[in-house]
Amino acid sequence: MTLEESSSDGDHATSDPPESAVWDADADAYDRYLQQGRGRLRQEAALSNLLETVPDLRGGGKRILDAGAGTGRLAVRLSILGHSVRVLDPSPRMLVLAQAHAAAAGPAVEERLTFAAGTIEGLQRQNIPCYDVAVAHNVLEYVPDPVAAVRALAASMRTGGYVSLVSANRLARPLRLASQGKGPGAVQASMGEHRFPIDMFGGWRREYSPLELEAFASMAGLATVALLGVSVFANLQMGPDPAPEDEALWLQVELDAGRVPEYLGSASYIQCIARKPV
């Protein structure tokens, strides 16, 4: 396991203190969110979709880029399967937590992970196709130019490789507001919006529809092979997270619902898995 802070390969050290500070401030809260309930369901559903869609991903041996990897939980899971994973994130605190999760998983897992402080935008300077799979889960909501970001991911991929994008779904926002008892004014106002307040990471993010996410992949020269919903029902519920004993059943419900095209507009998140043509 190594931590790289060099710009020689297109990644760069975190040279923007305000941006890094934003991610650092909520890194621990985000990690706790992913450990249980709706956060864990979201991550498990996205991983299951990836494993079901990308051929031979359960068998190990691939080179994977996790761009905007956060606290590294997905990267560790992929490393456990036998893949070499590069963890890229602009937040020093996120990387510290990711390294801790890697160490807890054991030496065999830890040695297949490398860590770099940097952003997807930094990949644009790399332009070396070397990855079999790239994932950018819940990252496009925060980048200034999502098309450029996906193009950078595509450029880093070998031909025939796969890119997995997960983004918050703006079409689901009005449904959640209505389910929470908000009035018609609030629901209507949200229907044409792309930018919404959130609890973490600076308070705002942009959200995209399923067709917009698919278009980003297409404009980057990628062919969509799966467009899936993530968290169709779980985020509509009021109150506490699902009980731990119900999580396995909820996960199966979410996986089944996520593959039904009619539910795409209702899903809190959209996952687009696309392939770089051979």
Side-chain angles (χ1 to χ4, degrees):
M1 176 180 65
T2 60
L3 174 61
E4 304 164 11
E5 295 187 352
S6 168
S7 61
S8 62
D9 65 352
D11 298 329
H12 60 273
T14 47
S15 57
D16 184 352
E19 179 182 353
S20 299
V22 165
W23 301 116
D24 284 354
D26 288 317
D28 291 84
Y30 183 63
D31 194 49
R32 289 192 297 271
Y33 162 73
L34 293 177
Q35 288 181 56
Q36 59 189 359
R38 295 179 181 90
R40 185 158 58 195
L41 279 173
R42 186 189 86 188
Q43 184 166 256
E44 290 295 323
L47 174 58
S48 295
N49 289 335
L50 191 63
L51 294 175
E52 288 297 319
T53 304
V54 177
D56 304 321
L57 195 60
R58 295 183 186 276
K62 296 188 183 298
R63 190 174 184 195
I64 298 176
L65 170 68
D66 191 350
T71 62
R73 290 185 175 275
L74 176 61
V76 169
R77 294 287 295 279
L78 292 168
S79 180
I80 288 171
L81 292 173
H83 303 294
S84 298
V85 186
R86 181 175 176 83
V87 176
L88 179 67
D89 200 272
S91 164
R93 180 58 186 166
M94 292 280 195
L95 290 173
V96 166
L97 292 171
Q99 289 176 298
H101 294 318
V109 172
E110 195 175 16
E111 69 182 8
R112 287 192 291 268
L113 290 156
T114 57
F115 298 81
T119 65
I120 289 182
E121 290 84 352
L123 291 171
Q124 298 177 48
R125 298 190 297 275
Q126 180 177 343
N127 200 30
I128 301 173
C130 58
Y131 298 106
D132 302 300
V133 178
V135 297
H137 289 182
N138 298 103
V139 175
L140 297 184
E141 298 99 311
Y142 305 100
V143 301
D145 186 342
V147 176
V150 180
R151 283 176 175 159
L153 290 172
S156 74
M157 301 296 302
R158 295 171 177 154
T159 57
Y162 289 81
V163 174
S164 176
L165 308 170
V166 173
S167 169
N169 177 17
R170 68 179 178 86
L171 299 183
R173 177 74 66 159
L175 295 174
R176 289 202 303 277
L177 290 176
S179 71
Q180 294 164 4
K182 303 297 184 181
V187 173
Q188 185 176 42
S190 71
M191 290 175 64
E193 287 294 323
H194 280 75
R195 187 170 179 263
F196 297 97
I198 59 170
D199 295 331
M200 291 187 286
F201 307 134
W204 294 88
R205 72 181 178 198
R206 293 186 65 84
E207 299 180 359
Y208 301 101
S209 72
L211 292 181
E212 287 168 332
L213 196 60
E214 190 173 24
F216 296 158
S218 178
M219 285 187 277
L222 303 171
T224 297
V225 296
L227 192 63
L228 305 159
V230 176
S231 296
V232 174
F233 298 118
N235 285 12
L236 292 176
Q237 287 191 310
M238 298 290 288
D241 281 334
E245 60 268 22
D246 291 335
E247 284 188 15
L249 181 56
W250 268 116
L251 177 59
Q252 190 57 57
V253 169
E254 293 292 357
L255 291 174
D256 291 343
R259 296 184 179 97
V260 179
E262 289 81 2
Y263 283 137
L264 274 179
S266 305
S268 292
Y269 302 90
I270 300 298
Q271 184 169 12
C272 178
I273 301 176
R275 192 177 187 220
K276 187 172 184 177
V278 177

